Amino acid sequence: MVTARAPVRKAGVVGWPVAHSLSPLIHETWAAREGRRITYERIPAAPDDAAFGSAIERLMRDGYKGCNVTLPHKERALALADEASAEARAAGAANMLTFGGRKVIADNSDIAGFAAALEEAGVKPASALILGAGGAARGVAIALRRVCGAARISIINRSADRAIALARLVDGEALDWSSRAAALADADLLVNTTSLGMTGEPPLDLDLEALPRGAAVADIVYSPLETPLLAAARAAGRRAIDGLSMLMHQAAFGYRAWLGNEAVVDADLRARLEAALKARAGA
Ligand code: NDP
């Protein structure tokens, strides 16, 4: 137990928009369990270098330990940092900045977060099919290649050039967007990293019939939690892994770096986040 006189440790998440981030709830839950005095704020920064740079300067000046970085600043965060982990450099993006003295150190916990979500679900894919090739897809693809040891990684994206670039990065293959249903036959894990299925976006149009019986489906979209893709996967008797798992696991790295020691991802934390998502959907 930490005494009441311990200084308040400060961190936050910088993004645009950031008003709906669930990260404060995750960090506050962990801090309450340890009796730690912390603040974890949502920090809006407009999508340009100047706004992002001045937000980070302000946090450093005000004694923050570090911050998470979300859309659209993950590449900017890496560019701004003085040092970067091998993971952040490999992904070309950072979702964590740690302030050490006058230095900014970049890291990418999306990679370990996705790998942990698969491990928690007991999924060890030999052959993975990734839909999407945006920022999050890079972390997912690197996790599959470097951490999970997937032997075969196929990438399908609406814009073929981005699929080709990501395939090159992880030594995978890029396939055409129109071949996505047929490509399922060779996958033991399907991962949706596109924004399709998110609240306000159309669902992903994909018939899971060709996906092998023992295959799993992961969707990193978490709002709504049960995307049409995950509902279809469950209805078809396939294992489904939702986006909250990755979100909780990636957050644990920042919490331990800046705020406390114990960052356990468990049913209680999940229940709190699910309740927050439900309240939001009903609002
Ligand atoms: P990006 O904007 O970088 O990438 C979006 C991707 O979606 C691109 O591949 C894009 O294709 C594709 N896409 C968008 N609209 C369509 C469409 N109409 N048809 C087909 N493809 C489309 O976003 P991110 O990668 O950062 O985020 C993607 C999703 O992942 C978001 O929902 C985000 O909330 C979620 N996420 C979840 C995390 C978690 O911890 N669970 C962590 C990070 C993100 P194209 O290249 O052709 O534009």
Side-chain angles (χ1 to χ4, degrees), residues 2-279:
V2 175
T3 69
R5 277 182 302 163
V8 175
R9 288 174 170 244
K10 296 190 282 187
V13 53
V14 182
W16 186 272
V18 75
H20 286 97
S21 171
L22 291 172
S23 296
L25 178 55
I26 298 176
H27 290 272
E28 285 158 10
T29 299
W30 283 329
R33 287 178 186 175
E34 289 193 277
R36 293 217 174 235
R37 300 168 68 221
I38 68 137
T39 62
Y40 187 99
E41 290 163 46
R42 300 181 182 94
I43 301 149
D48 61 72
D49 291 350
F52 182 68
S54 65
I56 299 302
E57 261 172 38
R58 203 248 319 152
L59 298 184
M60 293 178 78
R61 212 175 37 239
D62 290 353
Y64 284 65
K65 299 286 179 191
C67 64
N68 285 113
V69 179
T70 187
L71 217 70
H73 294 304
K74 289 186 181 181
E75 287 165 10
R76 215 166 257 136
L78 178 65
L80 174 145
D82 300 297
E83 289 171 20
S85 68
E87 287 77 11
R89 278 185 273 118
N95 73 323
M96 277 177 67
L97 291 177
T98 299
F99 309 139
R102 296 178 65 83
K103 270 195 183 160
V104 179
I105 301 149
D107 203 352
N108 188 313
S109 67
D110 283 337
I111 297 170
F114 182 72
L118 286 194
E119 195 184 338
E120 187 183 75
V123 171
K124 213 171 171 346
S127 174
L129 173 61
I130 300 172
L131 299 180
R138 273 195 256 168
V140 165
I142 291 169
L144 285 165
R145 172 62 78 218
R146 295 191 175 192
V147 190
C148 311
R152 180 174 178 190
I153 299 175
S154 307
I155 294 146
I156 296 185
N157 191 48
R158 176 180 61 176
S159 313
D161 53 334
R162 295 179 92 186
I164 292 165
L166 181 54
R168 227 175 257 142
L169 183 73
V170 295
D171 200 16
E173 61 174 350
L175 303 173
D176 195 75
W177 180 248
S178 62
S179 69
R180 60 196 187 280
L184 293 174
D186 297 322
D188 47 27
L189 174 69
L190 167 69
V191 191
N192 176 47
T193 72
T194 74
S195 42
L196 293 173
M198 251 174 94
T199 306
E201 297 286 331
L204 178 66
D205 173 24
L206 186 61
D207 182 348
L208 297 177
E209 186 56 38
L211 192 68
R213 285 256 139 232
V217 178
D219 198 335
I220 70 164
V221 169
Y222 55 82
S223 183
L225 191 54
E226 183 80 343
T227 59
L229 176 68
L230 290 185
R234 284 187 225 278
R238 310 302 197 273
R239 271 176 300 171
I241 303 162
D242 66 39
L244 270 190
S245 297
M246 176 180 178
L247 187 76
M248 293 186 288
H249 283 291
Q250 63 78 29
F253 295 88
Y255 182 81
R256 290 193 204 106
W258 312 317
L259 301 173
N261 299 319
E262 298 280 321
V264 180
V265 172
D266 58 12
D268 167 68
L269 179 63
R270 170 175 278 280
R272 287 166 190 266
L273 295 168
E274 287 185 5
L277 284 172
K278 251 188 216 134

